[in-house]
Amino acid sequence: MDSADRTPDSPTDAAAEAVSQMADAVDRAIDEITGVPTDDGRIEVFAHGGASIVAERRGQVSSARTIVLVHGIGMGRKVFGDLVQRLEGEALVVALDLPGYGDAPEPTRTPTIERMADLVAAYLRHLGRGPVVLLGHSMGTQVVTETAVRHPDTVDRLVLVAPTVDRHHRRALRQLWRLARDLWGESPKVLLLGAREYVRAGPNLRRKMRAMLTHRPEAAYARVSAPTLVVRGEYDVVVPREWFDEVVAAIPDSRAFVVDGHRHETLIRTAEPTARELDRWLSAP
């Protein structure tokens, strides 16, 4: 039977509706357990160049400060829940789902880091808030760095949390092994949120990993003109101290901050130390 001929109460439709309701219930339960807001902010889907992002706005529209958040590989905007709650009282905060992550539709072709940077820049111009504070985590640091270099008019300040990829160890197996070591013994909150987001990003994850590893962030760092805060968890296995120091040294106007006792997913475990340092850095002359 053609799908157009099915009645809304057909067994197939009823089963699909039941599965959808169950998925929504599980999703809400995970949000409640991990402290992620269960209500959505202002949601917007933005398409440009054959790919789409989902943007969620929260916070003070009247504020002069706009902070835009870009997640890492396998993740989505939901992992920024704690950080958003700590920032939204003083700024308009916008968390993004990149193409094929979170709620953003899977594109026909997996975009390169450069193409995602162009998409983010197009969205920032669409947002119409002027240059923003652009924060990226993990793979997101590669996207925001390229955004700052390719479209400097869109970025006022740059924040790189756990910058990848260590140029000395760029192979996929090495990166996966480091991530597995980093997650060993992590908090249940990190593991639960991370598992959910990786399931959502499942399609073409291998191609997404290839796009991340192909990109050379070290070629862009010296061309960053925006003041930059570079953040690392003290025990981050994915971002060794040597690579972190190299990133900080390569960016002309940079400041380093190390979160004591944290690992690669420092923003998920608790965003409080980074949020406090970010506020101090943004408030400095």
Side-chain angles (χ1 to χ4, degrees), residues 9 25 53 139 167-168 190 239 268 277:
D9 57 348
I53 58 177
M139 181 197 73
R167 69 181 180 90
H168 305 288
V190 170
V239 182
I268 304 178
E277 179 64 18

Side-chain angles (χ1 to χ4, degrees), residues 160-181:
L160 309 180
V161 182
T164 54
V165 174
D166 177 3
R167 69 181 180 90
H168 305 288
H169 301 280
R170 208 184 297 273
R171 293 182 178 178
L173 287 178
R174 175 57 66 91
Q175 291 299 314
L176 291 171
W177 171 241
R178 283 184 171 184
L179 181 60
R181 288 173 54 204

Side-chain angles (χ1 to χ4, degrees), residues 3 6 22 24 119 174 209 218 238 263 265 267:
S3 59
R6 293 179 185 143
M22 184 178 298
D24 289 344
L119 175 60
R174 175 57 66 91
M209 173 72 77
E218 64 273 13
V238 181
R263 304 185 188 192
E265 308 295 352
L267 291 179

Side-chain angles (χ1 to χ4, degrees), residues 143-156:
V143 176
V144 301
T145 296
E146 284 294 341
T147 304
V149 168
R150 295 164 70 88
H151 307 275
D153 61 299
T154 65
V155 180
D156 178 51

Side-chain angles (χ1 to χ4, degrees), residues 190-223:
V190 170
L191 298 176
L192 190 56
L193 277 177
R196 176 179 69 180
E197 297 306 317
Y198 264 88
V199 168
R200 289 178 169 180
N204 302 318
L205 193 55
R206 183 175 181 180
R207 293 194 329 208
K208 295 169 184 175
M209 173 72 77
R210 187 180 305 119
M212 181 186 79
L213 295 176
T214 300
H215 179 245
R216 300 292 190 266
E218 64 273 13
Y221 289 140
R223 295 181 288 139

Side-chain angles (χ1 to χ4, degrees), residues 38-119:
T38 56
D39 63 310
D40 287 330
R42 180 182 172 188
I43 302 294
E44 179 180 24
V45 180
F46 176 78
H48 175 80
S52 300
I53 58 177
V54 172
E56 180 176 357
R57 305 186 197 183
R58 289 181 181 267
Q60 302 299 314
V61 177
S62 60
S63 175
R65 179 178 296 168
T66 304
I67 304 175
V68 178
L69 312 176
V70 181
H71 60 81
I73 192 166
M75 297 297 180
R77 71 182 194 278
K78 288 277 193 175
V79 300
F80 290 121
D82 186 31
L83 180 63
V84 170
Q85 292 178 92
R86 296 178 186 277
L87 298 177
E88 64 181 341
E90 302 295 333
L92 176 67
V93 186
V94 186
L96 305 183
D97 283 334
L98 294 173
Y101 295 93
D103 293 325
E106 189 74 30
T108 304
R109 298 179 60 187
T110 300
T112 63
I113 296 294
E114 291 85 355
R115 281 190 62 210
M116 284 197 286
D118 292 343
L119 175 60

